[in-house]
Amino acid sequence: DQQVKQNSPSLSVQEGRISILNCDYTNSMFDYFLWYKKYPAEGPTFLISISSIKDKNEDGRFTVFLNKSAKHLSLHIVPSQPGDSAVYFCAASGRGSGGGADGLTFGKGTHLIIQP
Amino acid sequence: DAGVIQSPRHEVTEMGQEVTLRCKPISGHNSLFWYRQTMMRGLELLIYFNNNVPIDDSGMPEDRFSAKMPNASFSTLKIQPSEPRDSAVYFCASSPGPQNSPLHFGNGTRLTVT
């Protein structure tokens, strides 16, 4: 049973446009959510996070939105750039996540392709 | 800041052999995590240490897997005996703590068991 789900394995967006990556979770105990970016042959790199006490967090071109009632979060990248092409992982943690106090539960990732 | 360092980057071994993966966390980080990535299951947490003490090993798949953290700057993940289904990319990550701190990942060890 997947507690964190990313239902789109891949997403293609034109350079300059907005990229929207989605993530759903089932565990209501999750209270901290993160997005990671991963290039081939490298480890995941932390991008942005949000605590459950907020519904939005912004960092430059990246904004994460959290809808607790829908158990849904999304990552917006605007404008999209060629260097944004990577696999993006949604992750969550909280009491009962199964990963310990700081362990993260990951989705399976969305491969974002930015078209020139 | 050298980041989390994992060795080796690639390991190819025969079924039945012992495999040891190594990790050096970022200096000053109190928590260390071992993850495994496969196509079928994605990124799975195997075990987690806090201040060198194992906190949660519920993700370790079988008794063939063991992990140690003898000091704050070194951890190992051992598989003995290895099986072809253990083939995956194994990531180590560290975190400064406290709770709700991002994890910093190494570049992984790609393990192939033939």
Side-chain angles (χ1 to χ4, degrees):
Chain A
D1 59 334
Q2 263 188 287
Q3 298 188 66
V4 178
K5 298 178 185 178
Q6 294 177 256
N7 292 322
S8 299
S10 66
L11 175 68
S12 184
V13 174
Q14 216 167 6
E15 182 180 356
R17 299 288 186 105
I18 183 170
S19 295
I20 301 176
L21 296 100
N22 293 302
C23 178
D24 298 295
Y25 62 96
T26 57
N27 191 334
S28 57
M29 301 297 271
F30 287 151
D31 59 6
Y32 180 56
F33 305 88
L34 308 89
W35 284 94
Y36 279 79
K37 177 179 180 180
K38 185 182 182 303
Y39 293 119
E42 294 183 9
T45 303
F46 169 69
L47 201 54
I48 193 169
S49 64
I50 188 166
S51 162
S52 59
I53 61 174
K54 292 186 170 183
D55 55 16
K56 177 183 174 182
N57 189 24
E58 196 170 347
D59 184 2
R61 296 185 298 114
F62 302 92
T63 303
V64 56
F65 294 92
L66 175 63
N67 182 334
K68 289 187 290 293
S69 60
K71 293 191 177 66
H72 178 84
L73 65 155
S74 61
L75 175 68
H76 292 210
I77 306 173
V78 55
S80 301
Q81 299 175 354
D84 297 330
S85 294
V87 177
Y88 288 79
F89 290 96
C90 172
S93 74
R95 289 174 297 150
S97 69
D102 289 312
L104 298 178
T105 302
F106 283 84
K108 289 192 173 181
T110 297
H111 186 192
L112 176 65
I113 302 161
I114 305 301
Q115 307 268 8
Chain B
D1 183 353
V4 175
I5 300 172
Q6 292 186 246
S7 64
R9 285 300 310 271
H10 302 273
E11 176 79 41
V12 180
T13 190
E14 290 184 349
M15 183 174 66
Q17 296 297 306
E18 175 181 304
V19 174
T20 299
L21 311 181
R22 296 172 175 81
C23 176
K24 177 179 167 54
I26 293 172
S27 177
H29 281 196
N30 298 325
S31 301
L32 183 140
F33 306 81
W34 282 100
Y35 279 84
R36 176 172 70 174
Q37 184 183 27
T38 60
M39 288 292 293
M40 288 293 293
R41 302 176 69 87
L43 273 162
E44 301 174 275
L45 177 65
L46 301 178
I47 187 169
Y48 149 62
F49 294 85
N50 193 21
N51 293 321
N52 312 340
V53 176
I55 302 298
D56 183 355
D57 65 353
S58 59
M60 296 286 261
E62 299 172 32
D63 290 345
R64 299 184 296 107
F65 286 69
S66 63
K68 293 182 180 179
M69 192 164 185
N71 56 62
S73 59
F74 184 66
S75 176
T76 59
L77 178 67
K78 184 181 291 186
I79 308 172
Q80 181 185 23
S82 58
E83 296 183 4
R85 61 192 166 123
D86 301 331
S87 297
V89 181
Y90 291 80
F91 288 103
C92 176
S94 68
S95 171
Q99 192 171 1
N100 292 355
S101 299
L103 274 58
H104 301 258
F105 283 81
N107 284 332
T109 295
R110 180 173 292 278
L111 173 64
T112 303
V113 184
T114 60

